[in-house]
Amino acid sequence: MIAQGQALPAGTLGQLTKDGMVNHNVAELFADKKAVLFAVPGAFTPTCSEAHLPGFVVLADQLKAKGVDFIACVSVNDAFVMKAWGEAQNASELMMLADGDASFTKALGLEMDTAGFGGVRSQRYAMVVDNGVVTVLNVEAPKAFEVSTAEAVLAAL
């Protein structure tokens, strides 16, 4: 599993924008920027939709006031689902990123197998990334939602 002080692994994350599909190179996306990256097990799922994503939407301005250049949500879903979920949640201030094949999640060592429920998904986490290096890493215990909240990330900045 990735740890604080380590660089993000190589990878590509998809984003469906008004201009079409964009495949972001992870190294380029996080280069020379301070970002919050948080992951959810699935778009449109209860805790993710009712608490996790909305917390970052509400606190986006406060996070940016602490020097965060952008906030990104990633899930093992496709870019179409992530775009629709972002629109449904009024998350226009956030980048909604897709890790459709879970390759980035696996490279982080933060995957979990939910078997018949959804297959390989991401564990719930939040991290602060400064110029590609993880400076804060908060990974949730199974079925927990405490350390990866927007409030916890804001407190860590």
Side-chain angles (χ1 to χ4, degrees), residues 8 47 90 96 131 143-144 156:
L8 289 175
T47 301
N90 297 310
M96 302 299 289
N131 193 25
K143 301 192 186 294

Side-chain angles (χ1 to χ4, degrees), residues 84-100:
W85 188 42
E87 289 172 351
Q89 293 284 327
N90 297 310
S92 59
E93 293 291 313
L94 279 58
M95 292 183 77
M96 302 299 289
L97 301 175
D99 184 19

Side-chain angles (χ1 to χ4, degrees), residues 1-4 8 30 35-41 51-53 55-56 63 70-74 94 104 108 110 122-130 133-141 144-157:
M1 178 172 68
I2 194 158
Q4 286 181 195
L8 289 175
F30 290 93
V36 172
L37 176 65
F38 71 99
V40 297
H52 206 178
L53 178 59
F56 284 97
L63 289 161
F70 69 92
I71 303 162
C73 175
V74 65
L94 279 58
F104 180 70
L108 289 171
L110 290 169
S122 178
Q123 294 179 52
R124 186 182 305 281
Y125 66 83
M127 62 174 71
V128 177
V129 181
D130 198 345
V133 175
V134 178
T135 58
V136 174
L137 177 62
N138 297 341
V139 180
E140 294 289 358
F145 179 57
E146 298 169 4
V147 300
S148 68
T149 66
E151 294 81 1
V153 172
L154 185 61
L157 288 173

